[in-house]
Amino acid sequence: MSQKKPAYPVSDLLKDYLVEYSRNIKIPVFYEDLLRFQGSIVVYDKNDEDTLWVRVYYSDYEREDIDLSLKKVYTILHSNGNEDIIQYLSIDAIDYCTFGNSKPFRVKVRNILNDNYTHFYVKKADASRIYGLELEHVLSPYNLNFLVYKDTLIEEHIAGIPGDEFIKEMLPECNESEKSQIAKEFVKFNERCMIRLLGDMRSYNYVIVPVHDFDQVVYRIRAIDFDQQSFEGKFRVYSPQYFKENFKMVTLVSEKLQGSSIAQYKLEERSIVAKRILSSETRINHLLDCMKKDSISTEANIDLLRQQVFRFTSDIAFKKSNNMGEILETAMDFVTRNYESLRTY
């Protein structure tokens, strides 16, 4: 991994894309507004360990305006801006994380009628992250809800068990059938991240989602951090299997799956991603056009990545790629070409 990745501004072309697909909507509060907190206290987990989040508080005259603005953001994100529900909402907590690149605020919103609550995040807008969110929305099995306005990004919370916590506390308690299913899902998750160049999927950057299905629990893996979309030069960074934090997951794969099964699941995932690319071709091409004309990495990273992907695929088109957008476009073309050749064989 490189040192800290810079935040890249949202280009005019990307902004136009966001407007077209209803991602760019005026909001009443900005990231910088939340930075005006007066103080903070450390947030601990159930085991009294530091979560690396702090709970912030504001002066009385600012808190009322901030609370109201955040409630309005919630209504824009979840109910098309209908403010009738504001009277039933409470901003229970605003947490700030100094760990990582994005330094997000996490807002806890509670419905006072029934005590149900949810979270959303307020972050500094970064083009890399926005490309990552949009690619996840289109190419993964999951839809994402987010908004961008000027230099502020609003993301809905992705529910699930943090990967590091699951691996440490829950994986040992899973039965053998569940472990096999988790191993299969990790292979598919690894393949999906590699295809769309989503990097840094260490165990704390994804969540495990248990889904009850008849008489079994099926586990899904979802990325939750999209900061490292198409930035790094090392190709291995885009494969979760190479991070030491995922060692137990890799060991699980080797214990539970034969080589032929691993190859089968990789092929299945490539085929599913290819189908999504083809079915959303107009939207994907529009996004890639923005990305090809954008600057979201360094020349050194671009040169290194195109060389390493060429060695991995032997596709000469990667050597001709001039930026991260073109590398990603070539990767998607590579996947869809192989899918269509298999389908017509």
Side-chain angles (χ1 to χ4, degrees):
M1 290 287 292
S2 300
Q3 294 184 346
K4 184 176 180 181
K5 182 188 81 68
Y8 290 95
V10 179
S11 68
D12 290 339
L13 282 175
L14 180 55
K15 181 180 178 181
D16 291 342
Y17 172 94
L18 295 169
V19 170
E20 180 172 344
Y21 291 98
S22 301
R23 298 293 199 189
N24 187 282
I25 300 175
K26 186 177 181 180
I27 56 175
V29 66
F30 296 99
Y31 178 85
E32 286 79 7
D33 294 330
L34 299 186
L35 289 173
R36 300 199 303 265
F37 54 85
Q38 298 295 303
S40 63
I41 57 174
V42 176
V43 177
Y44 295 97
D45 64 15
K46 61 183 180 181
N47 299 317
D48 289 330
E49 295 181 1
D50 189 347
T51 62
L52 303 179
W53 290 82
V54 295
R55 186 146 299 166
V56 300
Y57 54 88
Y58 300 84
S59 59
D60 291 341
Y61 72 92
E62 281 198 304
R63 178 71 196 218
E64 186 175 346
D65 287 340
I66 287 174
D67 277 14
L68 179 58
S69 296
L70 291 173
K71 291 175 187 178
K72 289 180 178 178
V73 169
Y74 174 89
T75 66
I76 294 169
L77 190 64
H78 291 285
S79 60
N80 201 29
N82 186 340
E83 297 185 1
D84 292 345
I85 65 172
I86 284 180
Q87 59 184 315
Y88 307 120
L89 301 178
S90 170
I91 304 298
D92 278 11
I94 303 172
D95 298 334
Y96 178 61
C97 182
T98 58
F99 176 74
N101 287 333
S102 61
K103 296 184 178 179
F105 286 92
R106 181 179 61 198
V107 181
K108 180 179 179 181
V109 185
R110 179 172 56 90
N111 186 313
I112 62 176
L113 297 179
N114 50 38
D115 278 343
N116 286 330
Y117 68 88
T118 187
H119 297 88
F120 67 83
Y121 298 85
V122 182
K123 302 178 180 179
K124 191 81 171 175
D126 170 32
S128 294
R129 179 179 293 275
I130 293 168
Y131 286 121
L133 286 164
E134 191 66 13
L135 288 165
E136 179 76 3
H137 176 77
V138 179
L139 298 181
S140 82
Y142 316 105
N143 292 330
L144 290 182
N145 192 8
F146 68 92
L147 302 172
V148 182
Y149 184 63
K150 294 186 178 180
D151 60 353
T152 297
L153 169 66
I154 307 294
E155 288 182 37
E156 73 173 349
H157 175 65
I158 298 174
I161 304 165
D164 53 346
E165 181 180 324
F166 181 90
I167 291 170
K168 180 180 178 181
E169 298 183 8
M170 303 184 69
L171 183 59
E173 304 303 319
C174 292
N175 60 41
E176 298 309 306
S177 176
E178 290 171 339
K179 288 180 179 178
S180 294
Q181 196 273 327
I182 293 168
K184 169 186 173 181
E185 182 65 16
F186 186 78
V187 169
K188 292 194 167 194
F189 177 67
N190 187 82
E191 194 71 10
R192 191 161 66 243
C193 292
M194 183 183 67
I195 291 171
R196 43 76 58 96
L197 299 181
L198 176 62
D200 195 20
M201 281 299 106
R202 286 176 277 192
S203 56
Y204 48 76
N205 285 333
Y206 60 81
V207 293
I208 312 293
V209 184
V211 180
H212 291 267
D213 181 31
F214 293 105
D215 59 347
Q216 64 174 337
V217 178
V218 178
Y219 294 90
R220 299 285 182 253
I221 302 179
R222 294 191 62 178
I224 59 172
D225 192 324
F226 304 93
D227 183 70
Q228 292 286 338
Q229 174 65 51
S230 302
F231 172 75
E232 289 288 344
K234 295 179 181 178
F235 189 42
R236 290 164 64 102
V237 170
Y238 301 106
S239 294
Q241 70 185 73
Y242 292 114
F243 289 104
K244 67 179 187 298
E245 291 85 354
N246 295 326
F247 176 76
K248 289 186 178 179
M249 297 292 267
V250 175
T251 301
L252 189 67
V253 171
S254 64
E255 291 175 349
K256 294 297 179 182
L257 302 179
Q258 297 180 354
S260 57
S261 294
I262 294 172
Q264 173 197 338
Y265 296 142
K266 287 182 176 181
L267 179 59
E268 287 180 4
E269 191 62 27
R270 286 196 296 271
S271 298
I272 291 172
V273 172
K275 290 177 184 178
R276 293 192 182 109
I277 293 170
L278 294 170
S279 65
S280 303
E281 191 170 10
T282 300
R283 186 166 183 164
I284 286 290
N285 286 341
H286 190 173
L287 186 66
L288 288 174
D289 285 343
C290 297
M291 203 171 182
K292 288 187 293 184
K293 296 171 183 175
D294 211 343
S295 176
I296 55 172
S297 188
T298 66
E299 288 298 325
N301 284 352
I302 293 167
D303 184 57
L304 178 60
L305 183 60
R306 66 185 165 206
Q307 292 182 41
Q308 293 192 355
V309 180
F310 166 71
R311 286 199 293 269
F312 181 77
T313 63
S314 299
D315 187 339
I316 194 66
F318 283 104
K319 278 197 168 183
K320 300 177 182 178
S321 301
N322 296 312
N323 54 51
M324 284 298 184
E326 291 186 10
I327 294 174
L328 182 58
E329 181 180 54
T330 305
M332 291 187 182
D333 287 344
F334 181 84
V335 170
T336 53
R337 284 199 313 272
N338 281 276
Y339 167 72
E340 291 180 324
S341 65
L342 289 171
R343 188 176 59 173
T344 56
Y345 176 70

